[in-house]
Amino acid sequence: MNAYDYIEDYLNEELSGAALGVFEHALQNDPELRQAVERHRDMLGRLHTLRLREQVKKNLVSPRSGAAMLAVVNRRFLAAAAASVLLAAATYFWLTLPPGTESPAVADHIATPPDSSSVQPAPLAEESPVQIDSGQQTPAQPRSNGAAHADDPGARIAFVEAVRGLEKIDYIVMGETRKDSLLESTLNKAIHFLKTEKPSSAIPLLESVLAQNNTLYQDDAEWLLSLAKLGRDTKAGKAALEAIVQNPAHGYRRRAISLLGKLE
Amino acid sequence: MPIFIVWALLCISTALNAQSRKHALLIGVGRFTSPEFSTLQSEQGVQLMCATLLAKGFMQENISTLIDANATRENIDRAFARLEGQISPGDVVLLHFYGHGVQVDDDNRDEADKLDEAFVPYDGRFADSRHHQQLLRDDDLGQYIDRLRARAAGAGGQVCVVLDACHSGSGLRSAGTYATATSNPPRLTRDPTGDAGSSAPLVVFYSSMPHQSSLETVVETGKRSALLTWAFCKSLGSLRPDATYRSLYEQVCLRIMEKVEQKQTPLLEGVPDYLVFGERLNSPPPYFRVLTLLGSKALVLQGGLLHGLQAGTELMFFPPDTRDTSRISPIAYGAVADKGLGFLECTVQLDRTLTESDALHSWVFVRAQRYGTYSVSVAVDADDPATGEILRRQLSEVPSLVFDSASPPELLLRSRRGRKLALQTPDGEELWNGGYAGTLPPDLRRTIDNFLQARFLRSLAFDGSPYRIGFSAGIPASGSPATPVGLSVRRNKEVTLLHVENLSPFVLYYTVLDIDARHAVSVLIPGAGWSPTEFRLKPGEKREHRVTFDAPGREVLKLIATLTPVDLRDVVASRGEAYEGKHFFEQLFARSYRSRGPVGMHVGNEVGGATVIVDVVE
């Protein structure tokens, strides 16, 4: 029995009988195993926190009770009223401008008419809240994602192309280092979120992997995090990609250069 | 009738023997007596290799396999002994290792990083780098391969090794290409080419650099495989008949990159310019490889200022294994762009669109060198006015030379009686002399290039670089402290001790260039037989090298530090041969650098470095 393969089972209290005895014996005698167990425990804790957070988000977005629904309606009414006041003020301001002048702030936001010949991808669908550990997504109402790429369709195309090619991470190191299946499963969950265009859900997972400082997965996590950031915000994504390009020893530098080239 | 039967049997036997000249020993260890190693799919890997070799003309009866419980250390030793007995002169031998690899303490001081690499047999045990049993060290493996090479020596003989394990780079220490412990930088103990006739040529595919892990992962069949084995078999299966090990290696690299990008860097060692399981070809001219595409008509090339590429340099793109660029048309032309030109990489604008596959596989040759802002002023002093005029006209066609009467010349070309030429520095040092028959002698051009190249390198300064590295020299016997400048040593007698220390928070690789008194540039470290991957320092780590100088004069030693290993000797093979007796690096530099700027004009941003000056006296 290789005790390292049973860490997750042990922490999930799924070991029993002789297997549990063997594992606990190994745990007593192997300090590295103890460290690995602590690392896994920490990671599970982070995932649990994330799951709770997602659950809270889900409950906020999908209110079930009548009282909660009423509260949402009230909030929407107040928001609509505030927006009406702002719109009226802006209209008054615009009407009182001298002819021929234009507010720079307004000019900056005048949208260029779309080129009918170019590809106009649909805006990213915001991720649905997801049950992390169930392995199944809970369908929920799609929300606006804040139009992350509304001003940069090229970035959206680059993001979609980049995540389409992602493959499941499943490494066995042909040396003395042991496989860290928990980190791999976390990365693979993040890849799933990216491929289903839910970058915001991928980010905390990837940050939790990076916090482990595991050199085997560091570059993977940084690369995926840069994609997740790109999926949410072009500027942040570019900055993350540039950080990878600046490191000649980074395992994903070549892909980062190529992706940045597409974004230019 | 009986005579005819005997004759027929002899013919059949001869034919069978002719076909049986390819031998293979495939060793896959995926299960171990020791619990610390994870299980690997070595059996599948060996089966894949076996099927690939059968398709490539190997006979089943000449393929031996050792898998899992059969691959004990003792059985591996026996298998090598048996194979040695089966090999005849001129045979081709392929060795494949698939399993775990570890690093252990060096036991004979032949490793730059003080660590031996070792393959783990079924009964191998590994607690830490000091406590282990039954491992197959690189030194042991190297000796086995030396013996196989000796047996296979002869026309057509060849030994190819595929070593797929963690830390496999340099996993064949002492297999004919490595130094003994006493010299550092080392000398070749034996020629890897086998040209001497005493041993067959060797080519080795390593799955990763010495400090790197090798990976087993899921490949497109849905099965798990070690990456080198998978990429080697897949590439070999689809290889053109006229492909060499060089292009096979490049395909292997690209396939591995498709799977895991650059997390795992395979290495090639030995003689890449052989047809796969076939005869030797000429070495190609120096060429570059593409790193990645940047949009449809631009790309990043793996070569920059340090490789002699300047803005405007014209390039030609050819399919892999192109050795004669005059016989086929390039698939594209390009030029080095101003923007994106660095020490190690540059951006190239293409004249047409290339597919990613064509670009990544292509070999890129220099079509026309450009010198950018670099130039040198020259004056002609001829006792015959007519010859002086002809020389000025010929020199004016050399783009890097200028005739600037307003400032003192940096080089002086003297002509005597229209037949003798001499190139001198203003202080009278003669750089070259020779005859003149109406055209500029190539040696003269090369000497001018060397002068410029040396001056460019001397001008490199790294003050602003984050890759800080300490570099100093001393004499071990004197007990005097190391000094960065002004060390005086006697030629061929005194050993100079070079101290290198990584003062940065990064892991750094380093290479040392030697610019001698006659402005010739050579690569001092890594020496012949060593890989750039082995000159790697962790933060705070120190290393010493012993060198002797054989010519009097001032030696400028330039250490260049990078985050990734850079081989300035050869773009592709980490321990390959030199090109036609002249170093690749020198060829690349041969028409490169022209500089009129002040000393220290170049500040390294991608590279760090330091300078040591040694005065060699009689």
Side-chain angles (χ1 to χ4, degrees):
Chain A
M1 169 177 170
N2 185 348
Y4 287 84
D5 294 338
Y6 293 89
I7 292 176
E8 209 167 341
D9 295 339
Y10 172 72
L11 290 173
N12 290 332
E13 298 181 353
E14 289 166 2
L15 281 184
S16 61
L20 180 62
V22 171
F23 187 89
E24 287 178 338
H25 179 73
L27 200 58
Q28 280 180 351
N29 296 305
D30 185 349
E32 282 187 25
L33 179 63
R34 283 201 295 278
Q35 285 177 4
V37 168
E38 285 313 308
R39 275 209 327 273
H40 279 63
R41 200 194 303 277
D42 179 52
M43 176 65 78
L44 285 175
R46 286 166 187 269
L47 284 174
H48 181 66
T49 308
L50 184 69
R51 191 179 64 227
L52 287 177
R53 206 161 68 200
E54 293 292 339
Q55 193 65 47
V56 171
K57 265 175 71 181
K58 180 185 168 190
N59 289 338
L60 282 175
V61 174
S62 309
R64 293 190 181 88
S65 71
M69 185 65 82
L70 190 61
V72 170
V73 169
N74 284 339
R75 279 205 303 275
R76 285 181 179 166
F77 176 77
L78 287 172
S84 302
V85 171
L86 283 172
L87 187 63
T91 307
Y92 173 77
F93 175 70
W94 183 71
L95 288 174
T96 54
L97 277 176
T101 61
E102 210 168 49
S103 159
V106 174
D108 284 347
H109 289 89
I110 292 175
T112 309
D115 176 2
S116 59
S117 64
S118 64
V119 181
Q120 293 293 320
L124 273 179
E126 175 58 35
E127 46 268 48
S128 311
V130 174
Q131 293 282 2
I132 299 287
D133 283 348
S134 66
Q136 292 180 335
Q137 292 181 48
T138 308
Q141 295 167 357
R143 291 183 300 159
S144 160
N145 67 349
H149 294 299
D151 58 340
D152 193 353
R156 178 176 149 67
I157 294 171
F159 167 76
V160 171
E161 281 182 356
V163 299
R164 189 184 297 151
L166 292 176
E167 289 182 9
K168 188 181 169 193
I169 288 175
D170 184 0
Y171 303 143
I172 284 186
V173 179
M174 301 170 74
E176 69 273 28
T177 315
R178 297 171 181 93
K179 183 181 178 73
D180 198 325
S181 49
L182 191 62
L183 285 186
E184 279 194 358
S185 76
T186 309
L187 284 172
N188 285 326
K189 279 173 186 163
I191 288 173
H192 171 75
F193 285 138
L194 288 171
K195 287 175 89 81
T196 50
E197 300 189 19
K198 302 178 181 76
S200 294
S201 294
I203 287 174
L205 293 176
L206 296 166
E207 286 173 342
S208 70
V209 172
L210 283 172
Q212 297 297 312
N213 286 324
N214 184 312
T215 52
L216 179 60
Y217 302 102
Q218 190 86 2
D219 287 358
D220 297 286
E222 284 175 357
W223 165 243
L224 295 172
L225 187 60
S226 71
L227 293 183
K229 287 180 174 174
L230 183 67
R232 233 175 38 170
D233 172 13
T234 309
K235 198 175 165 187
K238 277 186 175 177
L241 288 169
E242 276 161 7
I244 290 175
V245 171
Q246 292 304 314
N247 176 5
H250 199 286
Y252 286 85
R253 182 169 177 270
R254 192 183 73 99
R255 274 195 206 178
I257 292 172
S258 175
L259 186 50
L260 272 177
K262 288 175 185 168
L263 291 170
E264 288 300 320
Chain B
M1 186 66 177
I3 293 172
F4 174 75
I5 291 171
V6 170
W7 177 78
L9 286 173
L10 274 173
C11 284
I12 292 168
S13 166
T14 307
L16 286 174
N17 279 337
Q19 284 189 320
S20 68
R21 291 183 61 221
K22 293 176 181 166
H23 303 264
L25 173 59
L26 317 179
I27 300 173
V29 195
R31 283 168 178 73
F32 304 84
T33 54
S34 179
E36 62 254 30
F37 294 110
S38 49
T39 303
L40 300 174
Q41 301 302 316
S42 52
E43 185 170 359
Q44 287 177 19
V46 166
Q47 285 168 356
L48 177 64
M49 181 64 80
C50 191
T52 308
L53 295 181
L54 287 172
K56 285 286 168 186
F58 283 67
M59 305 292 284
Q60 182 75 60
E61 60 268 30
N62 291 329
I63 300 177
S64 305
T65 59
L66 285 177
I67 297 171
D68 293 345
N70 288 326
T72 59
R73 175 63 205 261
E74 189 181 354
N75 283 351
I76 291 173
D77 292 343
R78 281 186 191 154
F80 269 107
R82 196 164 50 243
L83 181 61
E84 200 182 325
Q86 292 168 346
I87 292 174
S88 304
D91 283 358
V92 170
V93 182
L94 183 130
L95 303 170
H96 175 221
F97 296 85
Y98 184 130
H100 282 296
V102 294
Q103 286 185 306
V104 296
D105 289 354
D106 178 19
D107 60 353
N108 60 353
R109 296 179 59 214
D110 67 338
E111 296 278 358
D113 59 3
K114 298 177 182 169
L115 291 170
D116 274 343
E117 287 72 39
F119 184 76
V120 183
Y122 175 71
D123 53 349
R125 293 194 166 266
F126 177 83
D128 55 48
S129 64
R130 287 184 182 177
H131 304 93
H132 45 79
Q133 290 175 338
Q134 299 293 90
L135 301 182
L136 188 61
R137 277 181 188 262
D138 50 11
D139 302 290
D140 305 330
L141 199 48
Q143 285 173 13
Y144 279 132
I145 288 169
D146 276 349
R147 291 209 286 270
L148 295 177
R149 290 181 64 199
R151 293 283 299 178
Q158 197 178 97
V159 175
C160 174
V161 184
V162 181
L163 188 47
D164 201 350
C166 272
H167 315 298
S168 59
S170 86
L172 297 187
R173 181 65 68 207
S174 86
T177 59
Y178 296 94
T180 55
T182 51
S183 62
N184 188 5
R187 292 175 183 166
L188 283 179
T189 53
R190 200 177 302 157
D191 182 4
T193 63
D195 284 347
S198 59
S199 61
L202 171 71
V203 62
V204 191
F205 291 78
Y206 297 114
S207 56
S208 56
M209 294 195 277
H211 69 279
Q212 263 187 336
S213 299
S214 297
L215 299 173
E216 193 183 68
T217 189
V218 176
V219 293
E220 77 274 359
T221 55
K223 291 180 179 174
R224 183 181 287 283
S225 175
L227 283 169
L228 176 63
T229 300
W230 164 76
F232 183 89
C233 292
K234 198 165 163 147
S235 303
L236 189 59
S238 62
L239 214 56
R240 296 194 328 255
D242 59 344
T244 61
Y245 285 110
R246 184 184 290 276
S247 58
L248 173 59
Y249 166 71
E250 289 167 0
Q251 283 200 33
V252 165
C253 289
L254 289 173
R255 285 189 199 280
I256 290 180
M257 216 154 61
E258 277 174 23
K259 293 299 294 181
V260 294
E261 273 298 307
Q262 289 153 306
K263 286 169 67 76
Q264 178 181 330
T265 308
L267 297 176
L268 178 70
E269 179 183 310
V271 284
D273 292 309
Y274 271 78
L275 294 176
V276 176
F277 308 133
E279 67 196 44
R280 186 172 190 175
L281 300 180
N282 289 330
S283 300
Y287 66 94
F288 295 95
R289 302 296 314 285
V290 172
L291 179 69
T292 186
L293 276 181
L294 281 178
S296 60
K297 281 187 168 183
L299 50 81
V300 178
L301 199 69
Q302 298 180 53
L305 287 166
L306 277 180
H307 301 90
L309 294 179
Q310 296 282 347
T313 296
E314 294 176 28
L315 304 164
M316 303 180 286
F317 293 71
F318 284 90
D321 264 327
T322 299
R323 275 144 214 278
D324 183 355
T325 56
S326 65
R327 295 176 66 178
I328 57 170
S329 300
I331 56 174
Y333 292 99
V336 176
D338 284 321
K339 192 181 168 192
L341 174 59
F343 281 92
L344 305 170
E345 290 170 1
C346 67
T347 302
V348 174
Q349 292 295 334
L350 297 170
D351 71 329
R352 69 197 75 170
T353 303
L354 280 181
T355 66
E356 185 172 34
S357 173
D358 282 347
L360 292 179
H361 284 89
S362 62
W363 284 14
V364 186
F365 298 93
V366 172
R367 183 190 188 198
Q369 187 71 56
R370 294 290 179 268
Y371 305 103
T373 57
Y374 300 109
S375 62
V376 60
S377 62
V378 63
V380 175
D381 171 22
D383 55 5
D384 167 16
T387 305
E389 195 52 41
I390 293 169
L391 280 172
R392 277 188 200 90
R393 197 173 64 243
Q394 290 173 340
L395 287 171
S396 69
E397 291 168 7
V398 180
S400 56
L401 293 182
V402 293
F403 297 93
D404 184 1
S405 55
S407 57
E410 294 161 284
L411 291 175
L412 184 65
L413 184 63
R414 291 183 185 280
S415 163
R416 292 293 171 261
R417 294 190 296 280
R419 290 196 300 272
K420 292 273 186 187
L421 295 178
L423 188 69
Q424 297 177 341
T425 58
D427 56 8
E429 184 189 359
E430 190 168 279
L431 302 178
W432 176 88
N433 69 63
Y436 177 60
T439 55
L440 284 183
D443 284 354
L444 173 63
R445 286 284 299 269
R446 201 170 297 128
T447 306
I448 295 171
D449 291 334
N450 271 344
F451 175 84
L452 292 158
Q453 163 200 352
R455 200 178 55 179
F456 170 83
L457 289 171
R458 285 172 195 218
S459 74
L460 284 177
F462 308 97
D463 300 339
S465 170
Y467 312 132
R468 289 179 55 236
I469 195 151
F471 185 38
S472 56
I475 300 172
S478 72
S480 61
T483 171
V485 291
L487 180 71
S488 184
V489 296
R490 284 180 295 165
R491 76 180 183 111
N492 286 335
K493 289 180 180 169
E494 280 181 315
V495 170
T496 304
L497 201 57
L498 301 177
H499 304 264
V500 185
E501 181 178 3
N502 185 354
L503 303 172
S504 81
F506 310 100
V507 173
L508 294 177
Y509 296 84
Y510 62 95
T511 186
V512 177
L513 306 176
D514 177 9
I515 308 154
D516 73 12
R518 295 183 63 81
H519 308 282
V521 181
S522 58
V523 179
L524 191 66
I525 296 173
W530 288 81
S531 161
T533 60
E534 294 174 85
F535 296 87
R536 176 177 185 269
L537 290 179
K538 294 174 188 164
E541 195 177 352
K542 300 174 185 175
R543 198 170 290 172
E544 288 182 346
H545 300 274
R546 291 165 178 268
V547 292
T548 53
F549 298 99
D550 56 8
R554 173 160 283 196
E555 304 274 346
V556 177
L557 306 181
K558 219 44 142 168
L559 183 144
I560 294 172
T562 50
L563 282 185
T564 50
V566 174
D567 197 342
L568 293 173
R569 304 166 304 174
D570 187 325
V571 171
V572 179
S574 59
R575 291 178 200 179
E577 60 211 313
Y579 286 89
E580 290 148 17
K582 189 179 179 193
H583 224 280
F584 179 79
F585 176 67
E586 289 176 87
Q587 284 198 353
L588 282 175
F589 265 109
R591 296 183 180 281
S592 303
Y593 297 114
R594 310 289 184 266
S595 169
R596 302 187 71 186
V599 170
M601 63 182 288
H602 304 281
V603 177
N605 47 6
E606 306 156 65
V607 298
T611 306
V612 156
I613 295 171
V614 179
D615 286 317
V616 184
V617 295
E618 291 290 348

